[in-house]
Amino acid sequence: MNTKKIYSDERKQRNNFLSPRSPFFSLVISVFCLSLFFLFACQSQTQTSNKTTPAAKTETVSNLPKVTQIDAPGLKNLLKPNGRPLLINFWATWCGPCREEFPDLVKIGTDYKGKIDLITVSLDELSEINGDVPKFLAQMKSESPAYLLKTPDEGAAIGVVSKDWQGGLPFTILFNAQGETIYSKQGKFKTDVLVAAIEKILTVQSQRSSETKYQ
Amino acid sequence: MKKLIFLAAAIFAIAAFVVFNYISPYVFNKTSPNEALVVGSTVENFKLVDTNGAEKSLNDLKGKNGAILVFVSAQCPIVKQYNERISKFAADFAAKGVNVIGINSNHTESLEWVKSHAAENYKFPVLIDKGNVLADKLGANVTPEIFYVNEKNVLVYHGAIDNSRGGDNITENYLRDAVEANLSGKPVAKKTANAFGCSIKRV
């Protein structure tokens, strides 16, 4: 990612690069300095994201989070980003890997609050909508909108989400604000890969908005 | 000359930027699931050990009209929900010359666990797919997941057993319809259907 950021910065400065008046020596020095800067910035960010304890929240087990029941058409609507990148995690309380990755998911939700939308969709039985599902979410201190999918045909619903979803849990999918799939993973996600994908979307998004601003 | 070199370096830097920032995320961040064997392909004969440690092959175990490979797990709740239906179609299809073979590819499940689960629930053999070699070869991803082959080991149907994990709202009997159509010489209308269940725990 460091390399990409360096290249990103180079693009911003490509007009200077191409200027015949620009001394080569100054260029090398400035690129070197920028490399150091971004290397340092990214390292501090990685250190921050390695912390596993989510930020302090006031949620308690007695105040269980609301879990909304949705059907297949409801799920289809959820897949549309609302002006921001959208991260969706499909999980179930009976799914070991889902439970294992959940703290990292909550951490990502906290770290990128306001920058991306995170929602979780449980595929537990409907009888758990006021039971194990909200209990687990409270235990995880999850504040993201939570849904429980109740559909007569899970296979059909899976097909609506992604052709890359083979039907296993967990499944995590990341859309950019335009609704394009940038990352998807069946099975436990790798936090660094997912975070890199989010960062990438946010970088591209900010470049797009600054380009629009200067047009 | 220096200007030319500088210009070339700048072009290279821009090209590298485009590749790293716009192309690589789409290539590297999207993880590709295991590609499933395409219906109509031949499943090569394979040998695995059963829960008693005896080596068995597909050709040993299949019936005169083929076999149904069902990927199972000893702990997956979705498999548990399907166990009764799996046992029922195993009995029904064995009578028609199509034998069911269970496959357990989860490296997280001990032999004892798999053995007791199989003994409690199934009358057909369950083979241990150590190192998920067969799951990789077929592209199996979840439990329960079906691969139905005919007498020549040609894949006829792949995917879900039916469309209701709880069994209370079945409107599509994918597997049963595929087997019955194939045995009566009719084309199989639905050759694949998404299976929903627990991810196979690979090594």
Side-chain angles (χ1 to χ4, degrees), chain A:
Chain A
M1 199 169 73
N2 297 344
T3 317
K4 293 172 194 174
K5 285 199 172 185
I6 294 161
Y7 280 121
S8 164
D9 204 76
E10 281 176 352
R11 195 180 77 152
K12 286 177 190 168
Q13 296 189 343
R14 66 181 181 273
N15 291 334
N16 293 338
F17 266 40
L18 294 169
S19 165
R21 289 183 186 176
S22 175
F24 194 74
F25 182 74
S26 307
L27 176 83
V28 171
I29 294 296
S30 57
V31 167
F32 180 71
C33 292
L34 280 168
S35 307
L36 284 179
F37 171 75
F38 279 113
L39 186 69
F40 201 59
C42 289
Q43 272 180 346
S44 357
Q45 191 177 47
T46 312
Q47 279 163 9
T48 312
S49 63
N50 279 344
K51 290 176 194 167
T52 50
T53 316
K57 292 169 197 165
T58 51
E59 196 95 60
T60 60
V61 176
S62 58
N63 182 20
L64 292 177
K66 183 180 186 314
V67 181
T68 308
Q69 182 187 339
I70 49 162
D71 56 10
L75 175 64
K76 205 172 177 178
N77 286 332
L78 276 186
L79 302 175
K80 294 171 190 164
N82 196 14
R84 280 196 285 223
L86 173 64
L87 178 63
I88 309 182
N89 178 262
F90 294 86
W91 69 287
T93 55
W94 45 259
C95 161
C98 305
R99 297 173 71 96
E100 286 166 24
E101 73 178 8
F102 220 93
D104 287 344
L105 188 74
V106 172
K107 171 87 174 81
I108 288 171
T110 308
D111 287 351
Y112 291 96
K113 197 171 184 178
K115 293 179 181 171
I116 68 166
D117 291 324
L118 165 64
I119 59 177
T120 62
V121 180
S122 157
L123 283 108
D124 281 275
E125 293 290 344
L126 185 58
S127 56
E128 298 300 339
I129 197 163
N130 293 316
D132 284 352
V133 173
K135 277 182 195 164
F136 180 76
L137 293 172
Q139 194 188 332
M140 290 289 112
K141 297 184 166 62
S142 173
E143 290 184 340
S144 304
Y147 298 88
L148 185 144
L149 175 65
K150 175 63 182 170
T151 169
D153 190 344
E154 280 86 8
I158 285 162
V160 167
V161 176
S162 169
K163 63 179 171 50
D164 291 333
W165 189 3
Q166 303 284 315
L169 289 176
F171 183 75
T172 305
I173 188 162
L174 173 68
F175 300 100
N176 63 14
Q178 290 70 42
E180 297 162 321
T181 304
I182 300 302
Y183 170 93
S184 66
K185 171 75 180 168
Q186 176 175 293
K188 276 169 76 174
F189 60 77
K190 286 183 177 148
T191 306
D192 55 345
V193 179
L194 177 54
V195 166
I198 294 170
E199 284 288 340
K200 179 56 54 196
I201 295 180
L202 295 176
T203 306
V204 171
Q205 195 173 276
S206 103
Q207 281 171 353
R208 276 182 188 162
S209 68
S210 60
E211 279 166 12
T212 312
K213 205 182 285 178
Y214 290 110
Q215 270 173 2

Side-chain angles (χ1 to χ4, degrees), chain B residues 92-131:
Chain B
D92 293 350
F93 296 146
K96 294 176 180 177
V98 181
N99 291 347
V100 171
I101 305 166
I103 311 284
N104 192 313
S105 306
N106 296 288
H107 83 98
T108 48
E109 297 179 3
S110 71
L111 175 62
E112 285 312 306
W113 206 353
V114 175
K115 194 172 179 174
S116 65
H117 174 260
E120 281 166 26
N121 294 285
Y122 311 132
K123 288 182 178 162
F124 52 83
V126 173
L127 307 182
I128 312 295
D129 178 25
K130 200 174 175 187

